[in-house]
Amino acid sequence: MFTWNFHYVSKARLTETLNQLMLNSQKGDVLIRIHTAIHYEDEAVELAKYIKSLVPSAHILGTSTAAIISWGKIDPNQCVISVTQMDECKVRSALLPTHSGGKQKRPLKPETLCKKVKEAVLCEDSKLMLAFLTADYGDVAHFVEKSNETFPGVQMIGGVPGRSDLIREKQMFGYVFNENGWSAEAILVAAISGKELKSCASYATGIQAVGEVMEVTEAEGRHVISIDGVDAATKYLAVARVEDRLRWDLTSLLPFVYSERRNVPLQFRFVRDQIYANHNIVAGSKVRRAMIYDQKIISDNRAMFRRMENFEYAETIFSYSSTARYMGFPNSAKWEISVYESSNACGCLTDGVIVCADGRNVFANCSFALAACGEKKYVQEYHPYVFSYVNPLAEDNQRLLNYLVELEERLEEDKNHPEDNELRSFLRECGSKLLYSGNEDLPNEAALKVDLNFKGYDRICVINVLDIANMKLVFSEQMIQVTYKNYVEKCKKFAKEKNYRFYVLDQWQVAIGAPSFMISLADFTKDVENLYRKLFETSGEYVAIIPVVCVLYNCTVDNISSAYNSARVEMVNKNVQFLVHDAKEGQMDAESIRKKYQMVNVINYALSHDTLIPYYQGIFDNRKQRIHHYEALMRLTDENGTIYYPGDFLEVARSYGLMYDQLSFTMIKKVFERFKNMEGKSVGINIGMRDVKNQEIVEYIYDFLSTTKHPENFMFEFLENEDVGDYGILLNFVDKIHELGGLIAIDDFGSGYSNLQHILSIQSDFIKIDGSIIRNCCVDKDAENLIALITGWKNLSSRNVKIVAEFVENEEIQSKLTIYDVDYSQGYLFSMPAPDIDDGKAKKAKQK
């Protein structure tokens, strides 16, 4: 079984792609899914007919949608086509009506529809079924529930087709289609069967039920009339009134859930002062208030990822997410899908998700669902490092926090309504989940943001303990935990004595906050200095720690993160462990912000349109008088062909984390591909500490070096101007590269971070002297002395290390370097960076 996904562009491109796939109906059945946000009904059927003419044996499933899912992204206004070629498995598909015929169309009973589906597509060894029910069928939840009895053991994935705004003008609701036609009153199913077929499914909601159990006391179809005997709309919308205005959008933050169905959320519409669900509700159903928040989203997705990662037969992954999730929690929806960017996971947004979890099919609103299947063992490529970068969830979480504070303030102002007591209790429970760390019941980063935003806590001291990885190599886990508890207890006790607030941001990173109206900056700093000294005090029962303390003032929710990052860079540059820093310092003005987002667009364009281009600069051998090897340098181009240099975009990419990871990984792949079959040509690739900590990138490098013919042709130039933090990780990487036959260089040596530690700790093959030293060596005696010092150390050392001088731009500089016996020279004097490899042996750039 294999699956190939591609966007629909034109019939010509479609024909070319399907021909290249060489689909073979003799080998096995072919399933083709079409999810479109750009086609009207008749256009979609025409597309399906055209595909059927090219692949006559194909089983075609088509749905409308608000946005497609492919390559780890949600793309509105696109059409994706997913082709799966089976080996031994069989596919049976059918488009079945959900209503009886005749003048008075009535929806089929769930058990009747289940039987029709079973007769149409299921057989004895059916394992997985894709199912798409149009919104007109209100009994979708009961149908899914009934499926567990009618065809037990068959896992389902799919949902209720939605519709994009682009084509919403003719009809509000979505439709299903194949080559025979379309319908807005039907179910489209495809069952995959086979003795060797294995399947696995799961879903994530991020839902935490926190309210009391309530009962739907009256309901008619989708219309929920009363809950606990109270008007349902009044009950439901109690959380959505702000300053006497109804904010319907806020209900997605605090939804109702079924209490007996694994916290499955309910999705409502508000029509003429009444609420309607997207499926029929039965009187007597038990519901609770709930919340969706970042830690639960992360937890749910980790659990789902573990299931997918441990499933050994993931030849194909089907992926569906709720439109309500994307609308209410856009950053979270994008974040969780990005884990599967390098896999063949493909699907679309639906107005309600059908999925199997723990052996039972459920209709799950506001969820993200996956189902994997395969006939043979196959492991997909995933991006687990996404779980270490959860910043995108912060904006969604902050919206919820702001609203909870706003709602609580409204209730505090009006205490004369006893009926609000249930709501007050609910809000307190929400706060306990959101604002306190799960293990220690201490205020967390979310609580810090609330205090920053609403309580004027603009003086924040951030304390961190570094080098935990090395601590674990020497001391027992028990001793480290005892030390941690003592560290936290000291900080917590100090904050309580001074009437400050204490927060746990990460395990060893804590913060202490106070408002400026309560204490002066001088006194706050003095207090923190006293705590700093206490943290150094230790005894034999604890591990000695070295805290890094940063006192920030003029803090806001918007600037604290960037201010802390800037302060840490300054601390590393100055080699200090205690710093007082103005959070307003270095904040961007409107023009800078505009330029930053313009560069974000350039980076996104380059990644999505494959316009990241490696340029290569030759490095000159001063003894053999020829180009010895090359350095790969990253360039981006935009839609106008404008070239952007690393100085234009790298800092912006680093500030977004994942964006930098994508650039770096793409660059490494392209350089490897270019040089893998070259004889006698080697290349240096820049790599930073973030790359070294990125398990996916590191494993890719190791795999490549272990299989390539000439690993010695690949050098990894470690950026010396980065804060290493954990030398253990870096040294393991260096040792592994050498073990696999690759080379290591220290790049930009002399530019500012722990120079001596780098040179002593890292067994490098090359040391590249920073261009700022080389440029000034003819006019600044100190710069020349640094060159003499580095080359002198090399001559005294027993190491076989070579020296490279960067930014050699003229003959005067080159003459100076020859005096000190520098091995290699790099710069415009010898080679201009270009996308093609310069083979000129001894020609200098200015002579060309």
Side-chain angles (χ1 to χ4, degrees), residues 101-158:
K103 292 183 179 180
Q104 290 186 330
K105 290 185 178 181
R106 295 184 180 277
L108 298 176
K109 292 181 178 180
E111 52 269 30
T112 303
L113 187 58
C114 280
K115 289 177 182 177
K116 286 183 175 293
V117 167
K118 183 177 181 179
E119 292 168 1
V121 299
L122 295 176
C123 59
E124 189 176 322
D125 55 4
S126 296
K127 306 286 176 56
L128 182 67
M129 184 171 72
L130 286 89
F132 298 95
L133 266 159
T134 54
D136 192 71
Y137 188 71
D139 273 327
V140 54
H142 303 126
F143 162 79
V144 176
E145 189 62 32
K146 204 70 182 176
S147 71
N148 295 300
E149 301 172 17
T150 311
F151 31 90
V154 177
Q155 297 182 335
M156 293 171 68
I157 183 81

Side-chain angles (χ1 to χ4, degrees), residues 815-847:
S815 298
K816 182 73 70 175
L817 296 175
T818 57
I819 295 172
Y820 295 102
D821 200 25
V822 172
D823 300 292
Y824 301 100
S825 295
Q826 177 180 359
Y828 288 172
L829 180 65
F830 298 101
S831 175
M832 299 286 284
D836 296 320
I837 296 172
D838 172 23
D839 287 321
K841 293 191 176 178
K843 292 182 180 179
K844 296 178 182 176
K846 68 175 187 177
Q847 296 173 327

Side-chain angles (χ1 to χ4, degrees), residues 544-587:
I545 60 172
I546 302 175
V548 176
V549 178
C550 181
V551 177
L552 302 169
Y553 60 100
N554 291 325
C555 297
T556 67
V557 168
D558 296 325
N559 71 20
I560 188 168
S561 180
S562 60
Y564 177 68
N565 291 335
S566 298
R568 282 293 296 125
V569 170
E570 185 180 346
M571 293 173 79
V572 173
N573 279 333
K574 293 179 176 178
N575 195 23
V576 297
Q577 278 74 48
F578 193 105
L579 182 74
V580 180
H581 182 81
D582 185 352
K584 286 184 177 178
E585 187 179 309
Q587 293 298 301

Side-chain angles (χ1 to χ4, degrees), residues 658-669:
L658 285 177
M659 190 176 284
Y660 171 83
D661 294 338
Q662 286 182 278
L663 286 176
S664 188
F665 205 176
T666 303
M667 179 70 176
I668 291 168
K669 286 179 177 178

Side-chain angles (χ1 to χ4, degrees), residues 596-609 611-612 636-638 644 648-654 656 659-660 662-663:
K596 178 180 179 179
Y597 281 101
Q598 181 183 6
M599 190 51 59
V600 168
N601 289 334
V602 170
I603 296 169
N604 281 329
Y605 179 87
L607 289 170
S608 60
H609 292 80
T611 60
L612 183 157
L636 305 182
T637 61
D638 62 15
Y644 294 86
D648 299 323
F649 58 81
L650 268 189
E651 281 308 311
V652 174
R654 282 194 182 102
Y656 284 91
M659 190 176 284
Y660 171 83
Q662 286 182 278
L663 286 176

